[in-house]
């Protein structure tokens, strides 16, 4: 029976590449040159730290990160921007969490959406992923296309497509 899994994952190497590109941009960008602005990726904690001299520089770095992520095909829903922290002087720091996995609330919401589509598929929650199976692969492809049209707060990846 054909099936696939719905998960929320990201490619850490692509995020690392985006962060490194932003680091190079900070060194060459005119308004940020010579400042203490910096961006760091912590792969073990799965977060990014942005340091800037003021709110304007922070907004510029955040915008550069988003633009570089889009060009590397990283969904912006992967990033959870936390509140800005004021440091000594006018310095500002912002933490950005990388979201991975699907919470129980969102899996049950997706499950209800699939049931409401009235397509002959079965879906079941398996930990932090959702398995969808059907007799026809066309039904599975319809489910994927319908889910892509919906606005779900996390990026969805469709993996393990079995025929």
């Amino acid at each position: 029976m054909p099936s696939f899994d719905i998960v929320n994952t990201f490619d850490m190497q692509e995020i690392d590449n985006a962060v490194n590109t932003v680091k190079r941009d900070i060194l060459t960008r005119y308004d940020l040159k010579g400042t203490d602005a910096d961006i760091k990726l912590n792969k073990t904690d799965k977060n990014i730290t942005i340091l800037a001299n003021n709110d304007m520089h922070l907004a510029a770095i955040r915008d550069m990160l988003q633009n570089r992520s889009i060009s590397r095909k990283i969904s912006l829903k992967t990033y959870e921007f936390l509140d800005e922290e004021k440091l000594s002087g006018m310095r500002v720091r912002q933490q950005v969490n990388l979201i991975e996995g699907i919470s129980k609330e969102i899996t049950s919401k997706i499950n209800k959406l699939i049931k409401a589509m009235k397509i002959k598929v079965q879906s079941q929650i398996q930990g932090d992923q959702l398995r969808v199976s059907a007799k026809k692969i066309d039904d599975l492809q319809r489910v994927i296309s319908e889910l892509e049209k919906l606005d779900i707060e996390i990026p969805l990846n469709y993996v393990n497509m079995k025929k």
Side-chain angles (χ1 to χ4, degrees), residues 2-143:
S3 67
F4 69 89
D5 296 331
I6 301 173
V7 296
N8 175 19
T9 60
F10 54 83
D11 186 0
M12 183 61 82
Q13 186 59 49
E14 286 298 325
I15 291 177
D16 188 30
N17 291 341
V19 168
N20 287 332
T21 306
V22 171
K23 280 184 183 182
R24 283 194 305 275
D25 291 347
I26 289 171
L27 294 174
T28 58
R29 190 167 155 156
Y30 179 76
D31 58 340
L32 298 174
K33 194 181 285 188
T35 64
D36 295 336
D38 193 21
I39 184 168
K40 294 177 184 163
L41 172 65
N42 187 337
K43 292 182 182 180
T44 55
D45 293 339
K46 296 183 181 173
N47 67 15
I48 299 171
T49 304
I50 302 172
L51 292 166
N53 287 1
N54 55 43
D55 293 333
M56 197 168 66
H57 289 170
L58 180 71
I61 295 170
R62 193 172 43 229
D63 187 49
M64 287 190 296
L65 176 64
Q66 291 173 341
N67 288 335
R68 293 300 181 178
S69 297
I70 290 170
S71 67
R72 297 207 156 267
K73 296 186 177 29
I74 301 168
S75 173
L76 295 181
K77 294 177 182 179
T78 303
Y79 300 124
E80 177 190 11
F81 290 94
L82 302 178
D83 293 334
E84 301 172 5
E85 302 172 38
K86 301 289 184 192
L87 303 175
S88 62
M90 290 183 60
R91 294 184 49 81
V92 186
R93 174 176 50 208
Q94 185 170 31
Q95 294 286 339
V96 183
N97 290 334
L98 303 174
I99 300 171
E100 188 171 42
I102 305 176
S103 67
K104 294 227 182 281
E105 299 87 37
I106 296 175
T107 51
S108 61
K109 177 183 171 184
I110 295 170
N111 203 7
K112 288 177 186 173
L113 290 170
I114 291 172
K115 302 260 188 240
M117 290 178 194
K118 305 288 188 207
I119 302 173
K120 291 186 178 183
V121 296
Q122 294 82 40
S123 59
Q124 59 191 38
I125 299 171
Q126 295 180 335
D128 63 347
Q129 66 183 20
L130 194 70
R131 163 97 19 111
V132 182
S133 55
K135 290 184 179 180
K136 298 179 186 174
I137 200 160
D138 293 341
D139 292 338
L140 295 177
Q141 291 171 339
R142 274 188 48 212
V143 168

